[in-house]
Amino acid sequence: MRTDSDTIYALPLDEARTLFADYLDGEPDAIVLVVSTGSLPETARAAFDSSFERLGWGLCTFLSWPEGLDDAGALFMAIEGLDPCLLVIAEAGAAQLAESAYRQHIPFRSPFRLNCRDCCAFEDFAGMLQDPAQKQRAWAALKALPHRA
């Protein structure tokens, strides 16, 4: 299979984009991946894009994992195949599945590392946007991630 690039990362990336195409949206070449079970509301997606642009990371790719698809191995394959520099887990369902996939505790609202990549997770990012104080807590958690020049 020929890919657009001759790097060792091109084939797994192309395979992940093909296998999980129905679940992907947003900027296809983004280096930030936001994972949720089900689709995030447009307000949450816009908030992530705006936040990560301000932090120097650019727009996001969104992986909307199908609700009820409790296949931790497939989620692991999707994330590792897409190989983002920065991973955000947007809600508790995705966090629980990621804990199974990576066999690692996922803390909420604080930066952590997952398979050598910077991450942040939320119980309910979209819900946090409904309350000004919670919205500020969400923004503080995102700002705690590394910035990009």
Side-chain angles (χ1 to χ4, degrees):
M1 173 185 288
R2 183 94 172 110
T3 62
D4 292 337
S5 173
D6 291 327
T7 72
I8 62 171
Y9 306 102
L11 183 59
L13 178 60
D14 288 348
E15 286 177 344
R17 285 179 176 164
T18 300
L19 282 170
F20 302 103
D22 291 345
Y23 313 144
L24 294 171
D25 200 10
E27 177 59 40
D29 294 323
I31 57 177
V32 176
L33 179 65
V34 178
V35 179
S36 62
T37 51
S39 291
L40 287 173
E42 186 56 38
T43 54
R45 292 167 52 105
F48 278 128
D49 277 338
S50 174
S51 296
F52 285 111
E53 283 213 302
R54 277 187 258 156
L55 296 172
W57 290 95
L59 299 174
C60 304
T61 296
F62 296 92
L63 175 60
S64 301
W65 200 251
E67 294 181 56
L69 179 59
D70 296 330
D71 188 341
L75 179 66
F76 181 88
M77 188 167 54
I79 293 170
E80 292 305 310
L82 294 168
D83 195 24
C85 291
L86 192 69
L87 176 66
V88 177
I89 301 170
E91 47 77 42
Q96 184 178 17
L97 196 55
E99 279 188 350
S100 295
Y102 287 91
R103 296 180 177 100
Q104 177 180 327
H105 173 69
I106 304 292
F108 293 117
R109 294 181 318 277
S110 62
F112 64 99
R113 304 272 296 164
L114 190 66
N115 247 25
C116 300
R117 73 178 46 89
D118 291 303
C119 302
C120 187
F122 298 91
E123 297 99 326
D124 180 13
F125 182 82
M128 293 179 80
L129 298 178
Q130 305 305 311
D131 175 78
Q134 291 294 323
K135 186 176 182 178
Q136 288 303 312
R137 287 185 184 98
W139 173 236
L142 293 175
K143 284 194 315 187
L145 290 165
H147 297 211
R148 206 160 174 245

